[in-house]
């Protein structure tokens, strides 16, 4: 949901990870994977994280935060080794998301 509005409802298979959910959101709603940040409660979800916990309980509500396309491309370039942290301006270098890319 953005601003409390439900964008889509996607039934997830038990074996799905956050990455699977992102792909389903892209297919259903159109936001590209690299622009998606999924949040449950107060926690940013990692792509490899399972949607169902060890006890079989699924994540409750998941919120989609859309990242600016230019920022998502910059993170992808850092992740792919096209850019290094030294190539970035100070603000981008100080952002924790560039360090996890």
């Amino acid at each position: 949901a953005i601003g409390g509005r439900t964008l889509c409802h996607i039934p997830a298979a038990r074996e799905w990870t956050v990455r699977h959910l992102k792909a389903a959101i892209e297919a259903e709603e159109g936001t590209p994977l690299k622009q998606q940040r999924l949040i449950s409660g107060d926690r940013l979800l990692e792509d490899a994280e399972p949607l169902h916990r060890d006890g079989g309980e699924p994540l409750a509500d998941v919120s989609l935060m859309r990242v600016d396309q230019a920022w998502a491309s910059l993170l992808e370039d850092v992740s792919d080794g096209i850019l290094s942290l030294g190539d970035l301006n100070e603000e981008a270098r100080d952002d924790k998301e560039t360090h996890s890319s």
Side-chain angles (χ1 to χ4, degrees):
I2 294 182
R5 178 173 62 95
T6 300
L7 293 174
C8 56
H9 177 80
I10 298 173
R14 181 168 291 284
E15 67 275 1
W16 275 18
T17 63
V18 170
R19 177 86 173 166
H20 291 107
L21 181 57
K22 285 181 174 182
I25 290 170
E26 182 176 27
E28 178 76 20
E29 188 272 325
T31 301
L33 267 96
K34 69 181 183 178
Q35 288 182 254
Q36 296 181 35
R37 300 298 178 272
L38 299 183
I39 300 166
S40 181
D42 62 353
R43 200 169 58 76
L44 180 65
L45 302 175
E46 300 293 328
D47 282 356
E49 190 174 335
L51 292 180
H52 286 81
R53 301 291 173 232
D54 292 333
E57 288 295 316
L59 291 173
D61 291 331
V62 175
S63 297
L64 168 65
M65 183 176 75
R66 290 182 182 142
V67 176
D68 176 74
Q69 184 177 1
W71 181 252
S73 293
L74 181 134
L75 293 175
E76 187 173 48
D77 288 350
V78 170
S79 178
D80 292 345
I82 296 168
L83 292 174
S84 71
L85 291 177
D87 296 326
L88 306 179
N89 66 32
E90 185 176 349
E91 182 181 357
R93 277 194 311 271
D94 289 344
D95 191 289
K96 81 174 198 170
E97 197 168 13
T98 57
H99 293 272
S100 63
S101 289

